[in-house]
Amino acid sequence: MNETNNTGIEPDEWEPLRAYTNARIALGKTGVSVPLSESLQFRLAHAHAKDAVYSQLNLDELTTALSITGLPVYCLRSRAVSRDMYLQRPDFGRLLDTPSEEQLRQLNSPPADISIIVADGLSATAIMKNAGAVIPVLVEKIQQAGYSLAPVIVVEQGRVAVKDAIGGILQPRLAIIFIGERPGLSSFDSMGAYITYAPRPGLTDERRNCVSNIREQGLSAELAVDKLMYLIDSAFRLQLTGVALKDNNELGTSNLPKRIADSEAE
């Protein structure tokens, strides 16, 4: 029989593993139940996750943070006119509304190598906490590598595939969307980045690469930028993204491939 400590909680043999993960393991027990403190922590985490799903972008604050890149920033909307519609009709989140399409077409922006898009996804909280730390650094690295950039596009009520709708209009060679990921009970503020070479409407998940769990307690901004630059350079070298493009970058920036300019870039 396991001994209880002075709080009346029977310890768990997995207790040492708690130092390495935020997962709910080794909670201990009191009788046949989990301790009250752990039950309350679960409810708090669940509340954070629900709040993240219904959180909203602060467009003024986000635009200011993204303007540091020196690129124009345009705020658009998907066809989901409310959060409830966004959750009930995923297909509406994958398309721009008509005014946004018209605004994008009127930009008359020449096709660039890379288009950066930001969407709230399932956690605007994740975007507000992480986008400002990642995107300006990534833009600097992209420009140093010699790639051209389209204006930054922010989409409210957007899903990953809205990147392809935007790509069909702006016609970049490659598009990246930063989006709030589905909140977990230990990560309500996680941002993901999806990369697609030759983005256009109708593409599916196997044509995308994802860098996930970008947040302070997960993948740091520095490592996220390194991974993204590796994937960007590899995508241009191979002229593809998705299941055929493997993330073999384990040694950091020193292992990044050099940009290879292909004939299509001319």
Side-chain angles (χ1 to χ4, degrees):
M1 174 185 277
N2 292 331
E3 296 182 359
T4 59
N5 57 31
N6 57 9
T7 65
I9 299 174
E10 185 178 319
D12 191 291
E13 62 184 2
W14 283 17
E15 178 68 29
L17 296 180
R18 297 194 70 175
Y20 303 101
T21 178
N22 290 327
R24 284 180 166 75
I25 62 172
L27 302 182
K29 60 183 178 179
T30 56
V32 295
S33 303
V34 297
L36 176 60
S37 61
E38 295 293 346
S39 178
L40 293 175
Q41 286 295 324
F42 178 88
R43 294 188 180 199
L44 178 61
H46 186 259
H48 280 316
K50 288 184 65 177
D51 287 346
V53 169
Y54 282 93
S55 60
Q56 296 180 339
L57 295 174
N58 183 328
L59 292 178
D60 290 338
E61 181 180 333
L62 181 59
T63 299
T64 299
L66 297 177
S67 295
I68 296 174
T69 63
L71 297 171
V73 180
Y74 296 96
C75 298
L76 309 179
R77 293 190 61 89
S78 77
R79 295 187 184 179
V81 298
S82 68
R83 198 59 175 170
D84 286 339
M85 181 180 288
Y86 174 86
L87 295 173
Q88 295 168 13
R89 292 292 305 267
D91 53 324
F92 284 3
R94 300 179 186 124
L95 300 170
L96 294 174
D97 65 10
T98 299
S100 295
E101 285 187 349
E102 293 176 355
Q103 182 180 353
L104 210 56
R105 295 183 192 281
Q106 290 173 3
L107 292 182
N108 291 321
S109 178
D113 290 325
I114 298 172
S115 175
I116 293 178
I117 301 147
V118 183
D120 44 10
L122 288 168
S123 176
T125 299
I127 294 299
M128 298 307 302
K129 291 186 68 173
N130 300 295
V134 174
I135 294 176
V137 179
L138 177 65
V139 167
E140 183 178 3
K141 292 287 185 70
I142 286 173
Q143 291 173 332
Q144 288 174 352
Y147 299 113
S148 60
L149 281 157
V152 177
I153 305 298
V154 177
V155 182
E156 292 184 274
Q157 312 288 10
R159 292 187 180 269
V160 171
V162 77
K163 161 179 54 63
D164 300 329
I166 293 170
I169 297 173
L170 294 184
Q171 298 187 341
R173 296 176 66 205
L174 180 144
I176 309 169
I177 186 168
F178 292 90
I179 193 165
E181 297 184 307
R182 179 179 289 107
L185 290 176
S186 60
S187 57
F188 64 91
D189 57 353
S190 177
M191 182 176 74
Y194 291 79
I195 301 177
T196 304
Y197 188 83
R200 60 190 182 278
L203 297 184
T204 49
D205 287 342
E206 87 279 355
R207 299 292 296 272
R208 305 171 183 133
N209 288 88
C210 177
V211 176
S212 185
N213 197 33
I214 304 171
R215 61 190 184 103
E216 187 176 347
Q217 293 80 20
L219 186 67
S220 69
E222 180 182 4
L223 288 177
V225 169
D226 281 352
K227 281 184 171 291
L228 289 168
M229 284 305 303
Y230 177 88
L231 290 170
I232 289 168
D233 281 327
S234 298
F236 278 113
R237 177 166 55 87
L238 300 173
Q239 300 183 37
L240 55 81
T241 50
V243 294
L245 175 57
K246 306 302 181 183
D247 181 4
N248 297 318
N249 178 31
E250 298 178 354
L251 300 178
T253 54
S254 62
N255 212 33
L256 295 179
K258 299 294 184 182
R259 181 188 182 191
I260 299 178
D262 53 63
S263 58
E264 292 185 4
E266 299 302 326

